Amino acid sequence: KPVVMAAPCYDAATTVATLADKRINESSGLAVSWRTDGLFWTHNDSGDGPELFAIDRAGKTRCTLKLQGASALDWEDLCSFHLDQKSWLLVADTGDNYRRRGILTLYLIEEPPVDLAAKTPLAISLKPAQTIRLRYADGCHDVESVAFDVATRTIYLLSKRNFNKSLYALKLPAQNDPATVHTLKFVARVPDLLMPNGMDISADGRLAVVCTYTHALLYVRQIDQTWAKAWMGKPTMVLLPNRRQGESICFGRDSRTLYLTSEKLPTPLWELKPRKASK
């Protein structure tokens, strides 16, 4: 019989660094790098261009990455993953405060190498590997949370403003086809969520975390469960530091440690480590 996994408990958040780059004035999405250890990727909320920033654990910008041919109507979240021997970044241009956007866009980018020993930040421009157009079958939704499950090659999106938040899914397309508009599959109604604005799925596929403006919720997927069933389970609350408009969260490479930023200057990078079991 499979061993039932419990949600980890977390120590209080510690500040790893304060971001030095004042251009990062609304850090809305955050993702750990799967290509360069000790590196994170972030982007600003609406109003900025189609640009990502790579930051190190000292808070320094190590790379700016512009997406060729991309737009940034309302970038809201970002996730990263390792798939097919490559490291990837997935940007969600899915913000829709007034629920008027019929078609949304995701950008899939192969993560570039970043040399942490370089004396000057790298500035590069890349064309996305995929531009993924999508729509919801049940109308328009404001979505600020994106995650990717490596095992099933599935993108998940979580609505923010309707009463019972809705989780949607899309299998990662096999090839780039910007002309096709994919219809997202409804997965589940997620209860007990107040304004979710960021999420991530751990690399081992066992945990999902969702952040709100005040706290985070952790969902455990047991070995014999689907994500649809796991999202319907009772989550564990994770206390977060006092963030001024915090809208980002991600797992570290260990699939347990959590990292956070906020949208206001100065912008701290926080770390929450899982509590070690007492002997």
Side-chain angles (χ1 to χ4, degrees):
K1 193 174 181 178
V3 176
V4 175
M5 177 179 167
C9 297
Y10 287 88
D11 292 324
T14 59
T15 302
V16 177
T18 298
L19 305 194
D21 194 336
K22 298 301 185 289
R23 293 174 299 173
I24 309 173
N25 55 14
E26 283 191 295
S27 178
S28 181
L30 183 69
V32 69
S33 169
W34 283 96
R35 182 154 190 174
T36 306
D37 193 19
L39 199 70
F40 301 86
W41 292 90
T42 189
H43 63 80
N44 284 317
D45 205 330
S46 60
D48 199 8
E51 187 173 40
L52 294 168
F53 301 87
I55 55 173
D56 63 18
R57 289 183 64 91
K60 295 180 180 179
T61 296
R62 294 294 190 162
C63 176
T64 55
L65 170 58
K66 289 190 176 181
L67 303 191
Q68 297 174 9
S71 62
L73 185 59
D74 194 356
W75 284 16
E76 286 291 357
D77 202 11
L78 167 73
C79 65
S80 62
F81 50 93
H82 193 74
L83 183 71
D84 299 334
Q85 290 77 53
K86 294 180 180 180
S87 300
W88 301 95
L89 301 168
L90 183 68
V91 181
D93 189 355
T94 56
D96 190 9
N97 290 341
Y98 301 105
R99 281 157 280 183
R100 296 172 179 169
R101 298 177 65 184
I103 298 176
L104 295 309
T105 307
L106 304 175
Y107 296 106
L108 180 70
I109 311 108
E110 185 176 349
E111 185 182 348
V114 177
D115 183 6
L116 292 182
K119 293 183 179 179
T120 57
L122 185 66
I124 56 177
S125 177
L126 285 178
K127 186 176 181 179
Q130 288 195 36
T131 297
I132 305 167
R133 310 291 183 191
L134 48 89
R135 60 188 282 280
Y136 306 97
D138 56 349
C140 301
H141 299 281
D142 185 27
V143 168
E144 298 189 4
S145 306
V146 67
F148 187 79
D149 180 45
V150 174
T152 58
R153 306 174 75 95
T154 302
I155 303 163
Y156 287 95
L157 295 163
L158 180 64
S159 67
K160 180 180 182 181
R161 297 180 188 276
N162 48 318
F163 180 70
N164 281 320
K165 307 306 181 288
S166 299
L167 186 70
Y168 298 91
L170 176 71
K171 288 280 188 180
L172 182 68
Q175 57 189 12
N176 187 35
D177 186 10
T180 296
V181 178
H182 304 271
T183 300
L184 288 154
K185 177 185 176 183
F186 172 79
V187 176
R189 301 281 181 213
V190 184
D192 304 323
L193 269 175
L194 181 63
M195 303 287 276
N197 53 32
M199 73 173 178
D200 200 15
I201 291 175
S202 61
D204 65 0
R206 300 301 304 276
L207 295 173
V209 66
V210 176
C211 71
T212 70
Y213 291 111
T214 57
H215 60 276
L217 295 172
L218 205 61
Y219 296 82
V220 179
R221 188 184 69 81
Q222 305 299 339
I223 289 294
D224 57 349
Q225 277 187 325
T226 63
W227 272 117
K229 185 71 178 290
W231 280 95
M232 294 303 295
K234 187 171 180 60
T236 299
M237 183 180 290
V238 180
L239 297 178
L240 301 180
N242 185 21
R243 299 193 293 169
R244 295 187 299 161
Q245 198 168 334
E247 295 194 6
S248 63
I249 197 162
C250 72
F251 286 104
R253 286 185 174 190
D254 64 356
S255 291
R256 298 296 179 268
T257 303
L258 294 171
Y259 293 94
L260 321 160
T261 57
S262 69
E263 288 201 359
K264 301 294 184 181
L265 293 173
T267 305
L269 172 65
W270 287 283
E271 180 181 70
L272 280 83
K273 283 187 170 294
R275 189 174 303 152
K276 294 181 180 179
S278 57
K279 295 181 180 180

